[in-house]
Coordinates of all heavy atoms in Angstrom, one line a residue:
M1 N 38.8 -13.4 -20.9 CA 38.2 -12.8 -22.1 C 39.3 -12.3 -23.0 O 40.3 -11.7 -22.6 CB 37.4 -11.6 -21.5 CG 36.7 -10.9 -22.6 SD 35.6 -9.6 -22.0 CE 34.5 -10.5 -21.0
P2 N 39.2 -12.6 -24.3 CA 40.2 -12.1 -25.3 C 40.3 -10.6 -25.2 O 39.4 -9.9 -25.0 CB 39.7 -12.6 -26.6 CG 38.6 -13.6 -26.3 CD 38.1 -13.3 -25.0
A3 N 41.5 -10.1 -25.5 CA 41.8 -8.7 -25.5 C 40.9 -8.0 -26.5 O 40.6 -6.8 -26.3 CB 43.3 -8.5 -25.9
S4 N 40.5 -8.6 -27.6 CA 39.7 -7.9 -28.6 C 38.2 -7.8 -28.1 O 37.5 -7.0 -28.7 CB 39.7 -8.7 -29.9 OG 39.2 -10.0 -29.7
R5 N 37.8 -8.5 -27.1 CA 36.5 -8.4 -26.6 C 36.5 -7.8 -25.2 O 36.4 -8.5 -24.2 CB 35.8 -9.7 -26.6 CG 35.7 -10.3 -28.0 CD 34.9 -11.5 -28.0 NE 33.5 -11.1 -27.9 CZ 32.5 -12.0 -27.7 NH1 32.8 -13.2 -27.6 NH2 31.3 -11.6 -27.6
K6 N 36.5 -6.5 -25.1 CA 36.5 -5.9 -23.8 C 35.1 -5.9 -23.2 O 34.1 -5.8 -23.9 CB 37.0 -4.5 -23.8 CG 38.5 -4.4 -24.2 CD 38.9 -2.9 -24.1 CE 40.4 -2.8 -24.4 NZ 40.8 -1.5 -24.3
A7 N 35.0 -6.1 -21.9 CA 33.7 -6.0 -21.3 C 33.2 -4.6 -21.3 O 33.9 -3.6 -21.0 CB 33.8 -6.5 -19.8
T8 N 32.0 -4.4 -21.7 CA 31.4 -3.1 -21.7 C 30.3 -3.1 -20.6 O 29.6 -4.0 -20.4 CB 30.7 -2.8 -23.0 OG1 29.7 -3.8 -23.3 CG2 31.7 -2.7 -24.1
S9 N 30.4 -2.0 -19.8 CA 29.4 -1.9 -18.8 C 28.2 -1.0 -19.2 O 28.4 0.0 -19.9 CB 30.0 -1.4 -17.5 OG 30.5 -0.1 -17.7
K10 N 27.0 -1.5 -18.9 CA 25.9 -0.7 -19.2 C 25.7 0.5 -18.2 O 26.0 0.3 -17.0 CB 24.6 -1.6 -19.2 CG 24.6 -2.6 -20.2 CD 23.3 -3.4 -20.1 CE 23.2 -4.5 -21.1 NZ 22.0 -5.3 -21.0
P11 N 25.3 1.6 -18.7 CA 25.1 2.7 -17.8 C 23.9 2.3 -16.8 O 23.0 1.6 -17.2 CB 24.7 3.9 -18.6 CG 24.3 3.3 -20.0 CD 25.0 2.0 -20.1
S12 N 24.0 2.8 -15.6 CA 23.0 2.5 -14.6 C 21.7 3.2 -15.1 O 21.7 4.4 -15.5 CB 23.4 3.1 -13.3 OG 24.5 2.4 -12.8
P13 N 20.6 2.6 -14.9 CA 19.3 3.2 -15.3 C 19.1 4.4 -14.3 O 19.5 4.3 -13.1 CB 18.3 2.1 -15.1 CG 18.9 1.1 -14.3 CD 20.4 1.2 -14.4
P14 N 18.4 5.4 -14.7 CA 18.1 6.5 -13.8 C 17.2 6.0 -12.6 O 16.4 5.2 -12.8 CB 17.3 7.5 -14.7 CG 16.8 6.7 -15.8 CD 17.7 5.6 -16.0
K15 N 17.5 6.6 -11.5 CA 16.6 6.3 -10.3 C 15.3 6.9 -10.5 O 15.2 8.1 -10.7 CB 17.3 6.8 -9.0 CG 16.5 6.4 -7.8 CD 17.3 6.7 -6.6 CE 16.3 6.6 -5.4 NZ 16.4 5.8 -4.4
I16 N 14.2 6.1 -10.3 CA 12.9 6.6 -10.5 C 12.4 7.0 -9.1 O 12.5 6.2 -8.1 CB 12.0 5.6 -11.1 CG1 12.5 5.3 -12.5 CG2 10.5 6.1 -11.2 CD1 11.8 4.1 -13.2
E17 N 11.8 8.2 -9.0 CA 11.2 8.6 -7.7 C 9.7 8.2 -7.8 O 9.0 8.7 -8.7 CB 11.3 10.1 -7.5 CG 12.8 10.6 -7.3 CD 13.4 10.0 -6.1 OE1 12.7 9.9 -5.0 OE2 14.6 9.8 -6.1
W18 N 9.3 7.4 -6.9 CA 7.9 7.0 -6.8 C 7.1 7.8 -5.8 O 7.7 8.1 -4.7 CB 7.8 5.5 -6.5 CG 8.5 4.6 -7.4 CD1 9.7 4.0 -7.3 CD2 8.0 4.2 -8.7 NE1 10.0 3.3 -8.4 CE2 9.0 3.4 -9.3 CE3 6.9 4.5 -9.5 CZ2 8.9 2.8 -10.6 CZ3 6.7 3.9 -10.7 CH2 7.7 3.1 -11.3
P19 N 5.9 8.2 -6.1 CA 5.1 8.9 -5.1 C 4.9 8.1 -3.8 O 4.8 8.7 -2.7 CB 3.7 9.2 -5.8 CG 4.0 9.0 -7.2 CD 5.1 8.0 -7.3
A20 N 4.8 6.8 -3.8 CA 4.6 6.0 -2.7 C 5.8 5.1 -2.6 O 5.8 3.9 -3.1 CB 3.3 5.2 -2.7
D21 N 6.9 5.6 -2.1 CA 8.2 4.8 -2.1 C 8.6 4.3 -0.8 O 9.6 3.5 -0.8 CB 9.2 5.7 -2.7 CG 10.4 5.0 -3.3 OD1 10.2 3.8 -3.7 OD2 11.5 5.6 -3.5
Q22 N 8.0 4.6 0.3 CA 8.5 4.1 1.6 C 7.3 3.6 2.4 O 6.2 4.1 2.4 CB 9.1 5.3 2.4 CG 10.4 5.8 1.7 CD 11.0 6.9 2.5 OE1 10.3 7.5 3.4 NE2 12.2 7.2 2.2
V23 N 7.6 2.5 3.1 CA 6.5 1.9 3.9 C 6.8 2.4 5.4 O 7.9 2.4 5.9 CB 6.6 0.4 3.9 CG1 5.6 -0.2 4.9 CG2 6.4 -0.1 2.5
E24 N 5.7 2.9 6.0 CA 5.8 3.3 7.4 C 4.6 2.7 8.1 O 3.5 2.4 7.5 CB 5.8 4.8 7.5 CG 4.6 5.5 6.9 CD 4.7 7.0 6.8 OE1 5.7 7.5 6.2 OE2 3.8 7.7 7.3
R25 N 4.6 2.5 9.4 CA 3.5 2.0 10.1 C 2.7 3.2 10.6 O 3.2 4.2 11.1 CB 4.0 1.2 11.3 CG 4.4 -0.2 10.9 CD 4.7 -1.0 12.1 NE 5.0 -2.3 11.7 CZ 4.5 -3.4 12.1 NH1 3.5 -3.3 13.1 NH2 4.8 -4.6 11.7
R26 N 1.4 3.0 10.5 CA 0.4 4.1 11.0 C -0.7 3.4 11.9 O -1.1 2.3 11.5 CB -0.2 4.8 9.9 CG 0.7 5.7 9.2 CD -0.1 6.8 8.5 NE 0.9 7.7 7.8 CZ 0.5 8.8 7.2 NH1 -0.8 9.1 7.2 NH2 1.4 9.6 6.6
S27 N -1.1 4.1 12.8 CA -2.2 3.6 13.6 C -3.5 3.5 12.8 O -3.8 4.5 12.0 CB -2.4 4.5 14.8 OG -3.7 4.3 15.4
I28 N -4.2 2.5 12.9 CA -5.5 2.4 12.1 C -6.5 3.4 12.6 O -7.3 3.8 11.8 CB -6.1 1.0 12.0 CG1 -6.5 0.5 13.4 CG2 -5.2 0.0 11.3 CD1 -7.4 -0.8 13.3
A29 N -6.3 3.9 13.8 CA -7.2 5.0 14.3 C -7.0 6.3 13.5 O -7.9 7.1 13.4 CB -7.0 5.2 15.8
E30 N -5.8 6.5 13.0 CA -5.5 7.7 12.2 C -6.0 7.6 10.7 O -6.2 8.6 10.1 CB -4.0 7.9 12.0 CG -3.2 8.1 13.3 CD -1.7 8.2 13.0 OE1 -1.3 8.5 11.8 OE2 -1.0 7.9 13.9
L31 N -6.3 6.4 10.2 CA -6.7 6.2 8.8 C -8.2 6.5 8.6 O -9.0 6.1 9.4 CB -6.4 4.8 8.4 CG -4.9 4.4 8.6 CD1 -4.7 3.0 8.1 CD2 -4.0 5.3 7.8
V32 N -8.4 7.3 7.6 CA -9.8 7.8 7.3 C -10.3 7.0 6.0 O -9.6 7.2 5.0 CB -9.9 9.3 7.1 CG1 -11.3 9.7 6.8 CG2 -9.3 10.0 8.3
P33 N -11.4 6.3 6.1 CA -11.8 5.6 4.9 C -12.2 6.7 3.8 O -12.7 7.7 4.1 CB -13.1 4.9 5.3 CG -13.0 4.8 6.8 CD -12.2 5.9 7.3
Y34 N -11.8 6.4 2.6 CA -12.1 7.2 1.5 C -13.6 7.2 1.2 O -14.2 6.2 0.9 CB -11.3 6.8 0.2 CG -11.5 7.7 -1.0 CD1 -11.1 9.0 -0.9 CD2 -11.9 7.2 -2.2 CE1 -11.2 9.9 -2.0 CE2 -12.1 8.0 -3.3 CZ -11.7 9.3 -3.2 OH -11.8 10.2 -4.3
A35 N -14.3 8.4 1.3 CA -15.7 8.5 1.2 C -16.2 8.0 -0.2 O -17.3 7.5 -0.3 CB -16.1 9.9 1.4
R36 N -15.4 8.1 -1.2 CA -15.8 7.7 -2.6 C -15.3 6.3 -2.9 O -15.3 6.0 -4.1 CB -15.3 8.7 -3.6 CG -15.9 10.1 -3.4 CD -15.3 11.0 -4.4 NE -16.4 11.7 -5.1 CZ -16.2 12.6 -6.0 NH1 -15.0 13.0 -6.3 NH2 -17.2 13.2 -6.6
N37 N -15.0 5.5 -2.0 CA -14.5 4.2 -2.2 C -15.6 3.4 -2.9 O -16.7 3.2 -2.4 CB -14.1 3.5 -0.9 CG -13.5 2.1 -1.2 OD1 -13.0 1.8 -2.2 ND2 -13.7 1.2 -0.2
A38 N -15.3 2.9 -4.1 CA -16.3 2.2 -4.9 C -16.4 0.7 -4.5 O -17.4 0.1 -4.8 CB -15.9 2.3 -6.4
R39 N -15.4 0.2 -3.8 CA -15.4 -1.2 -3.5 C -15.9 -1.4 -2.1 O -15.4 -0.9 -1.1 CB -14.0 -1.8 -3.6 CG -14.0 -3.2 -3.4 CD -12.8 -3.9 -4.0 NE -12.9 -5.3 -3.9 CZ -12.0 -6.1 -4.1 NH1 -10.8 -5.7 -4.5 NH2 -12.1 -7.4 -3.9
L40 N -16.9 -2.3 -1.9 CA -17.5 -2.7 -0.6 C -17.1 -4.1 -0.4 O -17.0 -4.9 -1.3 CB -19.0 -2.5 -0.6 CG -19.5 -1.1 -0.9 CD1 -21.0 -1.1 -0.9 CD2 -19.0 -0.1 0.2
H41 N -16.9 -4.4 0.9 CA -16.5 -5.8 1.3 C -17.5 -6.4 2.1 O -18.0 -5.8 3.1 CB -15.1 -5.8 2.0 CG -14.0 -5.2 1.2 ND1 -13.3 -6.0 0.3 CD2 -13.4 -4.0 1.2 CE1 -12.4 -5.3 -0.3 NE2 -12.4 -4.1 0.3
S42 N -17.9 -7.6 1.8 CA -18.9 -8.3 2.7 C -18.2 -8.8 3.9 O -16.9 -8.9 4.0 CB -19.4 -9.5 1.9 OG -18.4 -10.5 1.7
D43 N -19.0 -9.2 4.9 CA -18.4 -9.8 6.1 C -17.5 -11.0 5.8 O -16.5 -11.2 6.4 CB -19.5 -10.1 7.1 CG -20.2 -8.9 7.7 OD1 -19.6 -7.8 7.6 OD2 -21.3 -9.0 8.2
A44 N -18.0 -11.8 4.8 CA -17.2 -13.0 4.5 C -15.9 -12.6 3.9 O -14.9 -13.3 4.2 CB -18.0 -13.8 3.5
Q45 N -15.8 -11.6 3.1 CA -14.6 -11.2 2.5 C -13.6 -10.7 3.6 O -12.4 -11.0 3.6 CB -14.8 -10.1 1.5 CG -15.4 -10.6 0.2 CD -15.7 -9.4 -0.8 OE1 -16.3 -8.4 -0.3 NE2 -15.4 -9.6 -2.0
I46 N -14.2 -9.9 4.5 CA -13.3 -9.4 5.6 C -12.8 -10.5 6.4 O -11.6 -10.6 6.8 CB -14.1 -8.4 6.5 CG1 -14.6 -7.2 5.7 CG2 -13.3 -7.9 7.7 CD1 -13.6 -6.4 5.0
A47 N -13.6 -11.6 6.7 CA -13.1 -12.7 7.4 C -12.0 -13.5 6.6 O -11.1 -13.9 7.2 CB -14.3 -13.7 7.7
Q48 N -12.2 -13.5 5.3 CA -11.1 -14.2 4.5 C -9.8 -13.4 4.6 O -8.7 -14.0 4.7 CB -11.6 -14.3 3.0 CG -12.6 -15.3 2.8 CD -13.1 -15.4 1.3 OE1 -13.2 -14.3 0.7 NE2 -13.3 -16.5 0.8
I49 N -9.9 -12.1 4.5 CA -8.7 -11.2 4.6 C -8.1 -11.4 5.9 O -6.8 -11.5 6.0 CB -9.1 -9.8 4.3 CG1 -9.5 -9.6 2.8 CG2 -7.8 -8.9 4.5 CD1 -10.2 -8.2 2.5
A50 N -8.9 -11.4 7.0 CA -8.4 -11.6 8.4 C -7.7 -12.9 8.5 O -6.6 -13.0 9.1 CB -9.5 -11.4 9.4
A51 N -8.3 -14.0 7.9 CA -7.6 -15.3 8.0 C -6.3 -15.3 7.3 O -5.3 -15.9 7.7 CB -8.6 -16.3 7.4
S52 N -6.2 -14.6 6.1 CA -5.0 -14.5 5.4 C -3.9 -13.8 6.2 O -2.7 -14.2 6.2 CB -5.2 -13.8 4.0 OG -4.0 -13.6 3.3
I53 N -4.3 -12.7 6.8 CA -3.3 -11.9 7.6 C -2.8 -12.8 8.8 O -1.7 -12.8 9.1 CB -4.0 -10.6 8.1 CG1 -4.2 -9.6 6.9 CG2 -3.1 -9.9 9.2 CD1 -5.0 -8.4 7.2
R54 N -3.8 -13.5 9.4 CA -3.4 -14.4 10.5 C -2.4 -15.4 10.0 O -1.4 -15.7 10.7 CB -4.6 -15.1 11.1 CG -4.9 -14.7 12.5 CD -6.0 -15.6 13.2 NE -7.1 -16.0 12.3 CZ -8.2 -15.4 12.1 NH1 -8.4 -14.2 12.6 NH2 -9.1 -15.9 11.3
E55 N -2.6 -16.0 8.8 CA -1.8 -17.1 8.3 C -0.4 -16.6 7.8 O 0.6 -17.1 8.1 CB -2.5 -17.8 7.2 CG -1.7 -18.9 6.5 CD -1.5 -20.1 7.3 OE1 -2.3 -20.4 8.2 OE2 -0.6 -20.9 6.9
W56 N -0.4 -15.5 7.0 CA 0.8 -15.0 6.3 C 1.4 -13.8 6.8 O 2.4 -13.4 6.4 CB 0.4 -14.8 4.8 CG -0.1 -16.1 4.2 CD1 -1.4 -16.4 3.9 CD2 0.6 -17.3 3.8 NE1 -1.6 -17.6 3.4 CE2 -0.3 -18.2 3.3 CE3 1.9 -17.6 3.9 CZ2 0.1 -19.4 2.9 CZ3 2.3 -18.9 3.4 CH2 1.4 -19.8 2.9
G57 N 0.6 -13.1 7.7 CA 1.1 -11.8 8.1 C 0.7 -10.7 7.1 O -0.1 -10.9 6.2
W58 N 1.1 -9.5 7.4 CA 0.7 -8.4 6.5 C 1.7 -8.3 5.3 O 2.9 -8.2 5.5 CB 0.8 -7.1 7.3 CG 0.0 -6.0 6.7 CD1 0.3 -5.2 5.6 CD2 -1.3 -5.6 7.1 NE1 -0.8 -4.4 5.3 CE2 -1.8 -4.6 6.3 CE3 -2.2 -6.1 8.1 CZ2 -3.0 -4.0 6.4 CZ3 -3.4 -5.4 8.3 CH2 -3.8 -4.4 7.4
T59 N 1.2 -8.5 4.1 CA 2.1 -8.6 3.0 C 2.0 -7.4 2.0 O 2.9 -7.2 1.2 CB 1.8 -9.9 2.2 OG1 0.4 -9.9 1.8 CG2 2.1 -11.1 3.0
I60 N 1.0 -6.6 2.1 CA 0.8 -5.5 1.1 C 0.4 -4.3 1.9 O -0.6 -4.3 2.6 CB -0.3 -5.8 0.1 CG1 0.1 -7.0 -0.7 CG2 -0.4 -4.6 -0.9 CD1 -0.9 -7.5 -1.7
P61 N 1.2 -3.2 1.9 CA 0.8 -2.0 2.7 C -0.5 -1.4 2.1 O -0.8 -1.5 0.9 CB 1.9 -1.0 2.5 CG 2.9 -1.7 1.6 CD 2.4 -3.0 1.2
V62 N -1.2 -0.6 3.0 CA -2.4 0.1 2.5 C -1.8 1.4 1.9 O -0.7 1.9 2.2 CB -3.4 0.4 3.6 CG1 -4.0 -0.9 4.1 CG2 -2.8 1.2 4.7
L63 N -2.6 2.0 1.0 CA -2.2 3.3 0.4 C -3.0 4.4 0.9 O -4.3 4.3 0.9 CB -2.3 3.1 -1.2 CG -1.8 4.3 -2.0 CD1 -0.3 4.5 -1.9 CD2 -2.2 4.1 -3.5
V64 N -2.4 5.5 1.3 CA -3.1 6.7 1.8 C -2.6 7.9 1.1 O -1.5 7.9 0.6 CB -3.0 6.8 3.4 CG1 -3.5 5.6 4.1 CG2 -1.5 7.1 3.8
D65 N -3.5 9.0 1.2 CA -3.0 10.2 0.7 C -2.2 11.0 1.8 O -2.1 10.4 2.9 CB -4.1 11.1 0.1 CG -5.1 11.6 1.2 OD1 -4.9 11.5 2.4 OD2 -6.2 12.1 0.7
E66 N -1.8 12.2 1.6 CA -1.0 12.9 2.6 C -1.8 13.3 3.8 O -1.2 13.5 4.9 CB -0.4 14.1 1.9 CG 0.6 13.7 0.9 CD 1.1 14.8 0.0 OE1 0.3 15.3 -0.8 OE2 2.3 15.2 0.1
T67 N -3.1 13.2 3.8 CA -3.9 13.5 5.0 C -4.2 12.3 5.8 O -4.9 12.4 6.9 CB -5.2 14.2 4.6 OG1 -6.1 13.3 3.9 CG2 -5.0 15.5 3.8
G68 N -3.9 11.1 5.3 CA -4.2 9.8 6.0 C -5.5 9.2 5.5 O -5.9 8.2 6.0
A69 N -6.1 9.7 4.4 CA -7.3 9.1 3.8 C -6.9 7.9 3.0 O -6.0 8.0 2.2 CB -8.0 10.1 3.0
L70 N -7.6 6.8 3.3 CA -7.3 5.6 2.6 C -7.6 5.7 1.1 O -8.7 6.2 0.7 CB -8.2 4.4 3.1 CG -7.6 3.7 4.4 CD1 -8.7 2.9 5.0 CD2 -6.4 2.9 4.0
I71 N -6.7 5.3 0.3 CA -6.9 5.2 -1.2 C -7.2 3.7 -1.6 O -8.1 3.4 -2.3 CB -5.7 5.7 -2.0 CG1 -5.5 7.2 -1.7 CG2 -5.9 5.5 -3.5 CD1 -4.2 7.8 -2.2
A72 N -6.4 2.8 -1.0 CA -6.5 1.4 -1.3 C -6.2 0.6 0.0 O -5.2 1.0 0.7 CB -5.6 1.0 -2.4
G73 N -7.0 -0.4 0.3 CA -6.7 -1.2 1.4 C -7.8 -1.2 2.5 O -7.6 -1.6 3.6
H74 N -9.0 -0.7 2.1 CA -10.1 -0.6 3.0 C -10.4 -2.0 3.7 O -10.6 -2.1 4.9 CB -11.3 -0.1 2.3 CG -11.2 1.4 1.9 ND1 -10.5 1.8 0.8 CD2 -11.7 2.5 2.5 CE1 -10.6 3.1 0.7 NE2 -11.3 3.5 1.7
G75 N -10.4 -3.0 2.9 CA -10.7 -4.4 3.4 C -9.6 -4.8 4.4 O -9.9 -5.4 5.4
R76 N -8.4 -4.5 4.1 CA -7.3 -4.9 5.0 C -7.4 -4.2 6.3 O -7.2 -4.8 7.4 CB -5.9 -4.7 4.3 CG -5.6 -5.7 3.3 CD -4.4 -5.4 2.5 NE -4.9 -4.5 1.4 CZ -4.1 -3.7 0.7 NH1 -2.9 -3.5 1.0 NH2 -4.7 -3.0 -0.3
V77 N -7.8 -2.9 6.3 CA -8.0 -2.1 7.5 C -9.1 -2.7 8.3 O -9.0 -2.8 9.5 CB -8.1 -0.6 7.2 CG1 -8.5 0.1 8.5 CG2 -6.8 -0.1 6.7
L78 N -10.2 -3.0 7.6 CA -11.4 -3.6 8.4 C -11.0 -5.0 9.0 O -11.3 -5.3 10.1 CB -12.6 -3.8 7.4 CG -13.2 -2.5 6.9 CD1 -14.2 -2.9 5.8 CD2 -13.9 -1.8 8.1
A79 N -10.2 -5.8 8.3 CA -9.7 -7.0 8.8 C -8.8 -6.8 10.0 O -8.8 -7.5 11.0 CB -9.0 -7.8 7.7
A80 N -7.9 -5.8 9.9 CA -7.0 -5.4 11.0 C -7.8 -5.0 12.3 O -7.4 -5.4 13.4 CB -6.1 -4.3 10.6
R81 N -8.9 -4.3 12.1 CA -9.7 -3.9 13.2 C -10.3 -5.2 13.8 O -10.4 -5.3 15.1 CB -10.8 -3.0 12.8 CG -10.3 -1.6 12.5 CD -11.5 -0.6 12.4 NE -10.9 0.8 12.3 CZ -11.0 1.6 11.3 NH1 -11.7 1.2 10.2 NH2 -10.5 2.7 11.3
Q82 N -10.8 -6.1 13.0 CA -11.3 -7.4 13.5 C -10.3 -8.2 14.3 O -10.6 -8.8 15.3 CB -11.8 -8.2 12.3 CG -12.7 -9.4 12.6 CD -13.2 -10.0 11.4 OE1 -12.4 -10.8 10.8 NE2 -14.4 -9.7 11.0
L83 N -9.0 -8.1 13.8 CA -8.0 -8.8 14.5 C -7.3 -8.0 15.7 O -6.4 -8.5 16.3 CB -6.9 -9.2 13.5 CG -7.3 -10.2 12.4 CD1 -6.2 -10.2 11.3 CD2 -7.5 -11.5 13.0
E84 N -7.9 -6.8 15.9 CA -7.4 -5.9 16.9 C -5.9 -5.5 16.7 O -5.1 -5.4 17.7 CB -7.6 -6.5 18.3 CG -9.1 -6.7 18.6 CD -9.4 -7.3 20.0 OE1 -8.4 -7.6 20.7 OE2 -10.6 -7.4 20.3
I85 N -5.5 -5.4 15.5 CA -4.2 -4.9 15.1 C -4.3 -3.4 15.2 O -5.2 -2.7 14.7 CB -3.8 -5.3 13.7 CG1 -3.7 -6.8 13.6 CG2 -2.5 -4.6 13.2 CD1 -3.5 -7.4 12.2
E86 N -3.3 -2.8 15.9 CA -3.3 -1.3 16.1 C -2.7 -0.5 15.1 O -3.1 0.6 14.8 CB -2.7 -1.0 17.5 CG -3.5 -1.6 18.6 CD -3.0 -1.3 20.0 OE1 -2.0 -0.5 20.1 OE2 -3.4 -1.9 21.0
D87 N -1.6 -1.0 14.4 CA -1.0 -0.2 13.4 C -0.6 -1.1 12.2 O -0.4 -2.3 12.4 CB 0.3 0.5 13.9 CG 1.3 -0.4 14.5 OD1 1.0 -1.2 15.3 OD2 2.5 -0.3 14.0
V88 N -0.6 -0.5 11.0 CA -0.5 -1.3 9.8 C 0.6 -0.6 8.9 O 0.8 0.6 8.9 CB -1.8 -1.4 9.1 CG1 -2.8 -2.2 9.9 CG2 -2.4 -0.1 8.6
P89 N 1.2 -1.5 8.0 CA 2.1 -0.9 7.0 C 1.4 0.0 6.1 O 0.3 -0.4 5.6 CB 2.7 -2.1 6.3 CG 2.5 -3.2 7.3 CD 1.2 -2.9 8.0
T90 N 1.9 1.2 5.8 CA 1.2 2.2 5.0 C 2.2 2.8 4.1 O 3.4 3.0 4.4 CB 0.6 3.3 5.9 OG1 -0.2 2.6 6.9 CG2 -0.2 4.3 5.2
M91 N 1.7 3.1 2.9 CA 2.5 3.9 1.9 C 1.7 5.2 1.6 O 0.5 5.1 1.5 CB 2.8 3.2 0.6 CG 3.6 1.9 0.8 SD 4.0 1.1 -0.7 CE 5.4 2.0 -1.3
V92 N 2.4 6.3 1.6 CA 1.8 7.6 1.3 C 2.0 8.0 -0.1 O 3.1 8.1 -0.6 CB 2.3 8.7 2.2 CG1 1.6 10.0 2.0 CG2 2.1 8.3 3.7
A93 N 0.9 8.2 -0.8 CA 0.9 8.7 -2.2 C 1.1 10.2 -2.2 O 0.1 10.9 -2.1 CB -0.3 8.3 -3.0
R94 N 2.3 10.6 -2.2 CA 2.6 12.1 -2.1 C 2.4 12.8 -3.4 O 2.8 12.4 -4.5 CB 4.1 12.3 -1.6 CG 4.3 11.6 -0.3 CD 5.6 11.9 0.3 NE 5.9 11.0 1.4 CZ 5.3 11.1 2.6 NH1 4.4 12.0 2.9 NH2 5.7 10.3 3.6
G95 N 1.7 13.9 -3.4 CA 1.5 14.8 -4.5 C 0.5 14.4 -5.5 O 0.4 14.9 -6.6
W96 N -0.4 13.4 -5.1 CA -1.4 13.0 -6.0 C -2.6 14.0 -6.0 O -3.0 14.5 -5.0 CB -1.9 11.6 -5.6 CG -1.1 10.4 -6.0 CD1 0.3 10.5 -6.3 CD2 -1.4 9.1 -6.1 NE1 0.7 9.2 -6.6 CE2 -0.3 8.4 -6.5 CE3 -2.6 8.4 -5.9 CZ2 -0.3 7.0 -6.7 CZ3 -2.6 7.0 -6.0 CH2 -1.5 6.3 -6.4
S97 N -3.1 14.2 -7.2 CA -4.3 15.1 -7.3 C -5.5 14.2 -6.9 O -5.5 13.0 -6.9 CB -4.4 15.6 -8.7 OG -4.7 14.5 -9.6
E98 N -6.6 14.9 -6.7 CA -7.9 14.2 -6.4 C -8.3 13.3 -7.6 O -8.8 12.2 -7.4 CB -9.0 15.3 -6.1 CG -10.3 14.6 -5.7 CD -10.3 13.9 -4.4 OE1 -9.5 14.2 -3.5 OE2 -11.1 13.0 -4.2
A99 N -8.0 13.7 -8.8 CA -8.3 12.9 -10.0 C -7.5 11.6 -9.9 O -8.0 10.5 -10.3 CB -8.0 13.7 -11.3
K100 N -6.2 11.7 -9.6 CA -5.4 10.5 -9.5 C -5.9 9.6 -8.4 O -5.9 8.3 -8.5 CB -3.9 10.8 -9.2 CG -3.2 11.3 -10.5 CD -1.8 11.5 -10.2 CE -1.0 11.9 -11.4 NZ 0.4 12.0 -11.2
I101 N -6.3 10.1 -7.3 CA -6.8 9.3 -6.1 C -8.1 8.6 -6.6 O -8.2 7.4 -6.3 CB -7.0 10.2 -4.9 CG1 -5.7 10.7 -4.4 CG2 -7.8 9.5 -3.8 CD1 -5.7 11.7 -3.3
R102 N -9.0 9.3 -7.2 CA -10.2 8.7 -7.7 C -10.0 7.6 -8.7 O -10.7 6.6 -8.7 CB -11.2 9.7 -8.3 CG -12.0 10.5 -7.3 CD -13.1 11.2 -8.0 NE -12.8 12.0 -9.2 CZ -12.4 13.2 -9.2 NH1 -12.3 13.9 -8.1 NH2 -12.1 13.8 -10.3
A103 N -8.9 7.7 -9.5 CA -8.6 6.7 -10.5 C -8.2 5.4 -9.9 O -8.3 4.4 -10.4 CB -7.6 7.3 -11.5

């Protein structure tokens, strides 16, 4: 590189802290379905999810609040029960309000 064109380094972007930043395994027996879950899954959908898990493995963690109540992933948990999977990848949404969970 010519002396007149010095390499400039960009400053590192700030590290973002995400409420659900770590994946951990939890027993499905500990997970509580969210009572206000608006999405219902048919038996056919659960069978499709189970087939996908059998084929590809578990690819997306379920989302729970700090008490273990499911926020997202009800269908995956039902499929896991069907497949007799005992624990699943889980992310905890720490510090979320009830309004955020409902959203």
Side-chain angles (χ1 to χ4, degrees):
M1 179 176 301
S4 62
R5 297 189 75 189
K6 291 185 179 180
T8 57
S9 62
K10 293 182 181 180
S12 298
K15 182 174 168 116
I16 299 172
E17 296 293 327
W18 300 103
D21 202 20
Q22 295 179 345
V23 177
E24 58 189 54
R25 285 188 176 231
R26 288 202 180 186
S27 166
I28 62 169
E30 294 175 27
L31 304 178
V32 180
Y34 184 58
R36 297 176 126 178
N37 182 29
R39 183 155 186 193
L40 301 177
H41 298 282
S42 69
D43 291 342
Q45 287 173 318
I46 300 304
Q48 285 177 326
I49 295 167
S52 176
I53 292 170
R54 246 191 324 273
E55 176 74 20
W56 303 103
W58 203 280
T59 58
I60 302 171
V62 298
L63 184 64
V64 298
D65 70 11
E66 292 169 290
T67 69
L70 276 166
I71 297 171
H74 291 78
R76 283 170 275 156
V77 169
L78 291 171
R81 285 193 174 116
Q82 190 176 83
L83 294 169
E84 298 181 355
I85 295 172
E86 294 181 10
D87 61 306
V88 297
T90 306
M91 295 181 86
V92 180
R94 300 187 194 287
W96 282 19
S97 66
E98 184 65 27
K100 282 186 177 181
I101 290 170
R102 277 195 314 268

